[in-house]
Amino acid sequence: MALKTLSTFLSPLSLPHHHLHLSNSHLKFLKFYAKPTLILCKSTVAPVTQSESEGTGAAAPTRGDRFLELQQAKEAAKTVLRETKKKKRKEKFSKVNTTVASCYGCGAPLQTSESDAPGYVDSHTYELKKKHHQLRTVLCGRCRLLSHGHMITAVGGNGGYSGGKQFISADDLREKLSHLCHEKALIVKLVDIVDFNGSFLARVRDLAGANPIILVVTKVDLLPKGTDLNCVGDWVVEATTKKKLNVLSVHLISSKSLAGIAGVTSEIQKEKKGRDVYILGSANVGKSAFINALLKTMGERDPVAAMAHKYKPIQSAVPGTTLGPIQIDAFLSGGKLFDTPGVHLHHRQAAVVHAEDLPALAPQNRLRGQSFPVECENGIADEYKSNGLNGFSIFWGGLVRVDVLKVLPDTRLTFYGPKSLQIHIVPTDKADEFYQEELGVLLTPPTGKERAESWKGLEIERLLQIKFEDAERPASDVAISGLGWITVEPICRSLRKSNITSEEIAEELHLAVHVPKPVEVFIRSPMPVGKAGAEWYQYRELTEKEQEVRPKWYC
């Protein structure tokens, strides 16, 4: 059989005849080298069709199924593309650069070339500190002057200056915070209780993104004597809820007396969860003072915070004291604390006054309301007895003028703000002349005739129509951004005439408020301050849903 197969295989080659006479040994040899026939198993090579893999008959996918799979694949591809773009966009915003040595007092990069610019250090000191790896312990020349009470602004457009090469713009400061909305962090947002509306940062989400916020209300030690903080805390939460911010909690604190600081410290440690903590707020809201108080409190138990307190940020009344993010190693458990540049708001009084007048805008002691008409032993002065404040104008320094257009005979206005701004009242028909003559003298700031000559005046007039329902309690507050507020009482109890009837009570009060451009005027619900505030303040009844989402407040 083997020979026959071999002969058949060799016949077409036309070999010589003698090659066909082969012995058995030769056959064995040829059999060994013959190419074997490939035998395939049909079951191993049968192609698997699409219909067999997906099912047949009733199990076969329909056109709708195939379309759905295609759409799902497209959506998955889009998701991957979006994530890739988001990652690239996030990489564009750099985090705080810790490789560049900065002044620990203001955060400005250290430099040795311009002596009148922020961050300046003499070259000898710089090289010596650099040699010993101690640049993080260097305080720049500007901060040294600020610490000794000098008023040196460095932000263009603030403090009455147009700016120069040594100035940094408010937009530049915002840019330094642009990375916040692209990273996971805990935001501690500060608000000044004396300038609650003006310092609130209504567009804080543009800076903080979706990061959680702890709201800290500073300088509560400046509120009038006898103020019930329970009422004020509820008032703050009500105002915050209306702004629709995702606030974890609200804390009323005093960096001066350390009241409430322990509660904030506990809340930060609880919510930090390994993230960096950023202190955010408008200029001169008290961020540096708050950080100092925070480090002092934490330093009692945390040696890392105690060491950080030694090189704390500088404090000053000058807007823009902090010029760059200051990294502070304050947590033993990880994560950094950052003091950030104050966000400069053009609508505050600090944006229009001269640098030398800035301290006059900052109250140093507990506020005491100044009320008009002024009460005396025999009641009120004769000029107010017949028609109350109607037809009079009240000047709050040289920064605010209030014309009383239409109020009740017993209406009272109470001014809450820095004591250094004196209040004067004159008939409205003589107000323009009085302002021209006394600006820079009785009406300050601006201080001095020289600054008064360059003063642009009270260019904005706001006509206010204040409605009220209960004449026995304050109708509203008129808040002046960057200064304080005026409480409007339709009928003052101590001034009320016994013969007034409900028919004589109007439902609106009309005032005209004049301020410098572009200072803003806010109308808000009255803040319950002083002993009287606890008497008239009313707590709102909450639904179960409101109680769940409403942030808790602490003091």
Side-chain angles (χ1 to χ4, degrees):
M1 179 69 181
L3 179 62
K4 184 179 179 181
T5 304
L6 181 62
S7 301
T8 306
F9 176 75
L10 296 176
S11 61
L13 299 179
S14 302
L15 297 174
H17 187 264
H18 65 274
H19 286 170
L20 295 176
H21 300 281
L22 303 173
S23 64
N24 288 335
S25 62
H26 290 151
L27 290 174
K28 290 180 181 179
F29 177 80
L30 290 172
K31 235 175 109 180
F32 180 80
Y33 284 96
K35 184 176 180 179
T37 303
L38 179 64
I39 301 175
L40 299 176
C41 179
K42 185 177 180 180
S43 63
T44 62
V45 296
V48 181
T49 62
Q50 183 178 4
S51 60
E52 289 174 338
S53 65
E54 295 178 345
T56 59
T62 64
R63 289 185 177 181
D65 294 334
R66 291 195 179 98
F67 176 77
L68 182 59
E69 290 179 2
L70 181 62
Q71 291 300 113
Q72 290 175 342
K74 288 182 178 180
E75 288 298 323
K78 288 181 180 179
T79 302
V80 173
L81 184 61
R82 279 197 301 268
E83 292 297 326
T84 303
K85 289 182 177 180
K86 184 178 179 181
K87 184 177 180 181
K88 289 182 178 179
R89 185 169 62 250
K90 183 176 180 180
E91 290 174 352
K92 292 181 180 179
F93 297 91
S94 58
K95 200 177 175 181
V96 178
N97 188 353
T98 57
T99 60
V100 178
S102 302
C103 169
Y104 75 79
C106 67
L110 296 177
Q111 50 90 15
T112 59
S113 55
E114 298 182 39
S115 60
D116 56 349
Y120 174 78
V121 183
D122 66 87
S123 57
H124 176 71
T125 301
Y126 182 87
E127 293 299 331
L128 184 62
K129 292 292 185 179
K130 182 179 180 181
K131 179 180 179 180
H132 295 283
H133 305 284
Q134 296 178 341
L135 286 177
R136 294 189 63 181
T137 66
V138 175
L139 196 66
C140 74
R142 171 178 172 269
C143 285
R144 292 184 182 279
L145 292 175
L146 288 173
S147 63
H148 288 85
H150 293 267
M151 307 302 294
I152 306 173
T153 185
V155 181
N158 289 269
Y161 291 111
S162 59
K165 68 177 182 178
Q166 73 271 29
F167 289 81
I168 184 171
S169 70
D171 291 337
D172 291 337
L173 293 181
R174 284 179 177 268
E175 183 63 27
K176 291 184 178 183
L177 301 175
S178 61
H179 66 90
L180 267 180
C181 60
H182 299 283
E183 65 176 89
K184 293 183 179 180
L186 176 63
I187 307 299
V188 180
K189 171 180 156 58
L190 269 60
V191 181
D192 184 349
I193 191 63
V194 179
D195 185 27
F196 185 83
N197 297 79
S199 66
F200 197 88
L201 292 182
R203 299 177 61 187
V204 67
R205 280 297 175 201
D206 293 347
L207 296 173
N211 288 311
I213 297 174
I214 296 176
L215 183 65
V216 175
V217 183
T218 64
K219 307 178 184 179
V220 296
D221 56 301
L222 297 179
L223 291 175
K225 188 177 181 179
T227 298
D228 187 345
L229 292 183
N230 291 308
C231 298
V232 175
D234 186 77
W235 181 88
V236 169
V237 172
E238 282 289 318
T240 304
T241 305
K242 292 178 182 178
K243 296 180 182 294
K244 298 181 179 180
L245 293 176
N246 183 22
V247 176
L248 299 176
S249 58
V250 176
H251 299 260
L252 308 183
I253 66 103
S254 167
S255 300
K256 186 177 181 180
S257 66
L258 301 183
I261 296 295
V264 181
T265 303
S266 177
E267 185 76 358
I268 290 175
Q269 296 284 13
K270 172 186 172 183
E271 299 293 342
K272 183 167 67 69
K273 300 174 182 177
R275 295 173 292 193
D276 291 337
V277 179
Y278 287 81
I279 311 300
L280 196 66
S282 61
N284 277 72
V285 78
K287 293 186 300 301
S288 297
F290 168 71
I291 288 178
N292 293 341
L294 192 68
L295 293 176
K296 184 176 182 180
T297 302
M298 292 172 56
E300 296 176 357
R301 298 183 178 181
D302 190 338
V304 175
M307 180 62 67
H309 186 254
K310 184 177 180 181
Y311 300 104
K312 55 191 177 184
I314 203 75
Q315 295 176 231
S316 171
V318 176
T321 298
T322 304
L323 299 176
I326 302 176
Q327 177 180 310
I328 304 171
D329 298 325
F331 304 113
L332 187 62
S333 58
K336 307 293 183 182
L337 178 68
F338 288 91
D339 184 11
T340 63
V343 179
H344 288 258
L345 304 175
H346 68 282
H347 58 72
R348 302 178 75 192
Q349 291 281 7
V352 298
V353 303
H354 194 276
E356 297 296 333
D357 290 327
L358 287 173
L361 302 182
Q364 301 298 323
N365 302 305
R366 191 180 293 275
L367 299 179
R368 294 184 62 183
Q370 299 184 60
S371 300
F372 295 88
V374 179
E375 296 184 59
C376 55
E377 294 181 0
N378 300 323
I380 60 175
D382 293 338
E383 59 266 33
Y384 308 120
K385 284 185 177 180
S386 60
N387 206 22
L389 291 174
N390 289 290
F392 285 90
S393 294
I394 305 175
F395 287 96
W396 201 356
L399 303 177
V400 181
R401 167 182 164 179
V402 180
D403 296 337
V404 182
L405 305 179
K406 179 185 176 183
V407 297
L408 301 176
D410 300 328
T411 296
R412 181 169 71 176
L413 305 181
T414 303
F415 292 70
Y416 294 95
K419 294 180 180 179
S420 55
L421 269 69
Q422 297 184 9
I423 300 178
H424 300 272
I425 181 169
V426 297
T428 300
D429 55 3
K430 298 180 180 179
D432 291 337
E433 180 182 355
F434 179 78
Y435 189 74
Q436 293 295 330
E437 292 180 355
E438 300 299 338
L439 183 65
V441 184
L442 287 178
L443 303 178
T444 59
T447 305
K449 280 294 183 180
E450 184 177 346
R451 291 178 194 160
E453 290 176 359
S454 60
W455 180 253
K456 294 182 179 180
L458 309 178
E459 300 176 289
I460 296 180
E461 179 182 12
R462 283 281 309 274
L463 297 176
L464 308 180
Q465 296 181 358
I466 301 174
K467 297 182 179 182
F468 62 92
E469 296 178 356
D470 185 358
E472 297 295 332
R473 59 192 301 270
S476 65
D477 285 345
V478 179
I480 311 298
S481 182
L483 186 61
W485 74 95
I486 307 166
T487 297
V488 181
E489 299 176 76
I491 296 179
C492 176
R493 296 179 182 179
S494 59
L495 300 177
R496 181 168 184 172
K497 299 179 177 63
S498 58
N499 59 350
I500 192 170
T501 62
S502 58
E503 289 77 10
E504 296 176 332
I505 299 178
E507 295 181 353
E508 283 187 355
L509 307 177
H510 295 184
L511 304 173
V513 180
H514 305 256
V515 291
K517 186 178 181 180
V519 173
E520 288 190 7
V521 178
F522 302 93
I523 304 298
R524 70 187 190 195
S525 60
M527 186 189 301
V529 297
K531 293 181 180 180
E535 297 177 3
W536 58 256
Y537 186 74
Q538 298 176 350
Y539 292 90
R540 186 171 63 87
E541 294 186 6
L542 304 174
T543 64
E544 291 185 3
K545 184 177 180 180
E546 287 178 324
Q547 290 178 350
E548 292 177 0
V549 300
R550 182 182 168 97
K552 300 292 188 294
W553 65 268
Y554 307 89
C555 64

